[in-house]
Amino acid sequence: MSANLTTLLYLVASVCFILALKGLSHPETARRGNLFGIAGMAVAVLTTLALVFRGHLELILIAIAVGGAIGAVVARRVEMTQMPELVAAMHSLVGLAAVLIAVAAVDNPGAFGIVDPLPAGNKLELFIGTFVGAITFSGSIIAFGKLAGLGKSFRLFSSASITFPGQHLLNLLLALVMLGFGVAFFLATDKAWTAFIVMTAIAFVLGVLIIIPIGGADMPVVISMLNSYSGWAAAGIGFSLDNKLLIIAGSLVGSSGAILSYIMCKAMNRSFISVILGGFGAVEGAAAGVEQKAVRSGSADDASFLMASAESVVIVPGYGLAVARAQHAVKEMVDLLAAKGVNARFAVHPVAGRMPGHMNVLLAEAEVPYDQVLEMEDINSDFSNTDVVLILGANDVVNPLAYEKGSPIYGMPILDVHKARTAIVVKRSMAAGYAGLDNPLFYMDKTMMVFGDAKKVVEDIVKSLH
């Protein structure tokens, strides 16, 4: 295959990736965006196979078959509630791939069309790609463990923030040492395996130390941040291999992930620079305590009566909705309320669930009209005029502790459901949310707790509405 044809096909793939990102920016065009992404990756893979068809093509095809089979099985078995863990796992594989490619390039540059000994420019690119990839890999493993709830088995995976005295100083010292060995690798006239291995090992440790202080409430930001890291790791390796498609694709992922991280930080009142450095997990001050007192509880019939008698109802979906897979029952409930003349809408917090867009995907799966799904900034001013708010498995994103100084979530923008006339909270129990904080909303006189599985409760409400 000629160089011009290769460049043209890689350009086509790059355009498809750009169109994919454009399509994924809105629920109505997300499926089209996915199709563009699939098409772009197909063109990229086939073009790459055409370039190496004279080599050990059978090994590549075997690897693709094995990886594809594993991916297909995982995709069919994974639940929507496990998507955040899956994304974190995928990020870790991208980071590990960058490290392994860098190791292979250092060991045998000629196999990648690089001059041996490695030129200074290639060493710099490999250094950057390696340490970013290593941090992405180990950091994503920790994120996976936190999201999967493995903290009971291994403390590093605890959803709570793990901090210790001098933590940030240690991170800084390790980063400086890592850079020092990276410079040694860069200046060496030989392969400098010792410097390269030590640099990589420190990067793996840094990935762990950067993520463990991040508490559960901030995990959605971590997902987007690691997504950005994986893209930059791929782009760095792309420069080393002089692969323009890898550079473009990695840059697209890296920049889009960084932009998403910035948006998420604004939504959670976090410092973007602090997020990049992994220092936003340890928030000074203790959580504001809530006196444990009796709550006002009710039944699904009570909730049905309150909503059917209201003029306006806002539904706030949370992770509990995803766990119960109650989105289809909720859609039926909203349709019945609309038939009774009730103005029913959804309020979605930017970090509801455990990853950006989690609730939007669930509601889209149930074919909830997009004009019924409102973002936080569009709905918050309406809560004071809302008769009833139905909260389904959400906790941290509706917690008024965000307005109290000293709280770990102080300053985090929340859905102001406590301003509504009546709040109905559907939860399995009074257990704290993912951030480990109690919620004063549950004890307010205007709040009615309905205990039970979200899907079962909503189905009972639907029966009562008929």
Side-chain angles (χ1 to χ4, degrees), residues 4 82 158 169 172 322 331 334 369 388 437:
N4 288 338
Q82 298 172 317
S158 173
L169 179 59
L172 177 61
K331 170 64 164 57
V334 170
V388 178
L437 301 176

Side-chain angles (χ1 to χ4, degrees), residues 62-141:
I62 291 174
I64 291 176
V66 172
I70 294 174
V73 171
V74 171
R76 291 181 65 86
R77 291 185 177 181
V78 70
E79 298 288 341
M80 181 59 66
T81 54
Q82 298 172 317
M83 285 302 295
E85 296 100 291
L86 178 63
V87 172
M90 295 299 103
H91 290 160
S92 73
L93 295 179
V94 175
L96 183 60
V99 173
L100 294 177
I101 292 174
V103 170
V106 173
D107 180 62
N108 187 6
F112 296 89
I114 306 174
V115 177
D116 193 2
L118 284 167
N122 290 99
K123 281 191 171 184
L124 177 62
E125 294 154 2
L126 287 172
F127 160 56
I128 296 175
T130 301
F131 86 75
V132 175
I135 290 174
T136 302
F137 172 72
S138 56
S140 297
I141 294 297

Side-chain angles (χ1 to χ4, degrees), residues 128-426:
I128 296 175
T130 301
F131 86 75
V132 175
I135 290 174
T136 302
F137 172 72
S138 56
S140 297
I141 294 297
I142 297 298
F144 171 84
K146 284 175 173 283
L147 292 166
L150 302 181
K152 295 180 180 179
S153 303
F154 193 40
R155 187 169 182 272
L156 285 180
F157 294 141
S158 173
S159 61
S161 173
I162 300 177
T163 60
F164 53 85
Q167 186 170 27
H168 295 302
L169 179 59
L170 176 62
N171 288 351
L172 177 61
L173 290 175
L174 286 176
L176 292 175
V177 173
M178 181 191 70
L179 291 174
F181 278 100
V183 171
F185 168 71
F186 174 75
L187 297 177
T189 56
D190 58 359
K191 295 184 183 298
W193 275 114
T194 300
F196 182 83
I197 292 173
V198 173
M199 171 198 74
T200 306
I202 294 176
F204 281 127
V205 174
L206 269 177
V208 174
L209 293 177
I210 286 175
I211 302 301
I212 59 172
I214 299 174
D218 295 321
M219 287 310 294
V221 186
V222 175
I223 295 296
S224 60
M225 179 184 70
L226 291 172
N227 178 55
S228 179
Y229 283 3
S230 66
W232 297 126
I237 297 301
F239 278 106
S240 300
L241 304 182
D242 193 26
N243 188 307
K244 296 178 178 58
L245 180 63
L246 196 55
I247 295 171
I248 294 173
S251 298
L252 287 173
V253 173
S255 57
S256 61
I259 292 171
L260 180 58
S261 296
Y262 177 73
I263 294 172
M264 301 292 286
C265 287
K266 289 187 64 177
M268 299 181 70
N269 196 32
R270 298 296 195 247
S271 165
F272 180 65
I273 299 300
S274 185
V275 170
I276 294 175
L277 299 178
F280 67 105
V283 181
E284 295 183 1
V290 176
E291 180 186 354
Q292 295 294 326
K293 58 182 181 180
V295 297
R296 183 166 67 97
S297 61
S299 65
D301 288 338
D302 297 328
S304 172
F305 174 77
L306 288 172
M307 289 190 290
S309 304
E311 292 185 3
S312 60
V313 172
V314 173
I315 297 99
V316 177
Y319 187 66
L321 171 75
V323 172
R325 295 197 61 80
Q327 61 269 31
H328 296 284
V330 172
K331 170 64 164 57
E332 184 179 359
M333 179 188 72
V334 170
D335 289 343
L336 289 173
L337 288 173
K340 295 178 179 293
V342 179
N343 179 23
R345 297 167 294 169
F346 292 85
V348 177
H349 192 281
V351 295
R354 292 189 179 176
M355 66 181 294
H358 201 172
M359 295 300 105
N360 300 79
V361 173
L362 282 176
L363 297 177
E365 183 182 3
E367 298 184 351
V368 173
Y370 300 123
D371 58 1
Q372 289 183 2
V373 182
L374 302 178
E375 302 297 332
M376 179 178 64
E377 59 270 17
D378 298 323
I379 191 68
N380 255 358
S381 60
D382 290 348
F383 280 117
S384 58
N385 298 317
T386 299
D387 295 319
V388 178
V389 174
L390 177 64
I391 303 164
L392 296 169
N395 194 329
D396 300 322
V397 298
V398 296
N399 195 334
L401 285 179
Y403 293 114
E404 295 189 20
K405 290 185 177 181
S407 166
I409 61 172
Y410 173 66
M412 170 182 165
I414 62 169
L415 291 166
D416 292 329
V417 299
H418 58 282
K419 295 181 179 180
R421 297 185 179 94
T422 301
I424 303 172
V425 181
V426 178

